[in-house]
Amino acid sequence: MTSSTRLTVCLGFVAALLLTVGLQYLRPQPTASPPQPTASALQPATEIGTNLAGIADWSTQMPFVDGFKSSRPWITQCAADEPDCQSDWSTEEEDQLDLDGRGWVRSLPTPDAPPEYTRVGTLLFRGVEEYPSGEYIVRYEGQGQLRYDFDAELRRASPGEDRLQVTPSDAGILLQITATDPNDYIRN
């Protein structure tokens, strides 16, 4: 760490501390004698988080309970055993995705259609060795098929809810949509 980096980090900490302390003194002061303070009254009214990294699937910070909110954008993929599949990891056809206004995949191409991709995938917790292990519940709306790989193993599937067993490694979780109904596509 260079001296300028240490100074920047130090100044950032001091600024956050001064802001937190300053906010406590800017509150209106009571004019009558106040009642005895409770434990909650002794806590600052404003909590400030500083030095958070950007939202990314590879971040060790987990700002959301819903891990999908930190996932990567959709990756167009095909199965390695499909005749025209050149690369099963990414066909690089994201510009041809049929997405709704919220970014959910409305449809997948048919196998005889021009795009090479036949499924889409995304990554969660990639490169993060220490994220929570145990049972994960995937809830969704719509009709279709989801597939899981890497650190996730499907234990039970029912309409609108899948239960996974997750054993963390730096591989993360691969979630794929392998089929979706364009009239009631997988979402949320």
Side-chain angles (χ1 to χ4, degrees):
M1 185 181 291
T2 66
S3 60
S4 65
T5 303
R6 275 186 290 226
L7 179 61
T8 302
V9 170
C10 182
L11 289 176
F13 175 77
V14 170
L17 181 63
L18 288 174
L19 182 59
T20 303
V21 171
L23 288 174
Q24 293 177 9
Y25 289 104
L26 291 175
R27 291 192 196 111
Q29 300 299 316
T31 54
S33 66
Q36 291 295 327
T38 62
S40 64
L42 298 174
Q43 299 296 322
T46 305
E47 294 182 17
I48 298 175
T50 60
N51 300 330
L52 293 175
I55 297 170
D57 67 284
W58 60 85
S59 175
T60 56
Q61 299 171 15
M62 297 181 191
F64 305 112
V65 173
D66 181 350
F68 195 81
K69 290 182 178 180
S70 297
S71 65
R72 286 192 192 181
W74 295 114
I75 304 164
T76 55
Q77 301 177 317
C78 58
D81 60 352
E82 292 174 9
D84 294 329
C85 187
Q86 303 297 315
S87 171
D88 61 344
W89 181 247
S90 176
T91 65
E92 299 181 10
E93 297 173 294
E94 286 77 16
D95 61 330
Q96 297 183 45
L97 284 170
D98 179 19
L99 304 176
D100 72 6
R102 301 182 112 194
W104 298 109
V105 177
R106 290 191 295 211
S107 66
L108 295 172
T110 58
D112 58 343
E116 182 183 339
Y117 79 95
T118 56
R119 61 184 68 197
V120 295
T122 188
L123 291 168
L124 296 87
F125 310 120
R126 181 72 170 178
V128 181
E129 289 184 29
E130 296 191 29
Y131 63 94
S133 66
E135 183 178 68
Y136 280 45
I137 300 172
V138 178
R139 291 190 177 109
Y140 59 92
E141 297 172 26
Q143 303 295 315
Q145 282 187 318
L146 295 173
R147 182 179 173 279
Y148 309 93
D149 205 348
F150 300 162
D151 294 348
E153 180 183 338
L154 180 64
R155 292 296 175 110
R156 188 174 56 199
S158 57
E161 182 178 290
D162 291 343
R163 292 185 178 258
L164 314 175
Q165 182 61 41
V166 174
T167 306
S169 76
D170 64 351
I173 298 172
L174 172 64
L175 179 149
Q176 293 176 315
I177 298 176
T178 59
T180 193
D181 179 346
N183 298 313
D184 188 17
Y185 52 91
I186 293 176
R187 62 198 179 279
N188 299 331

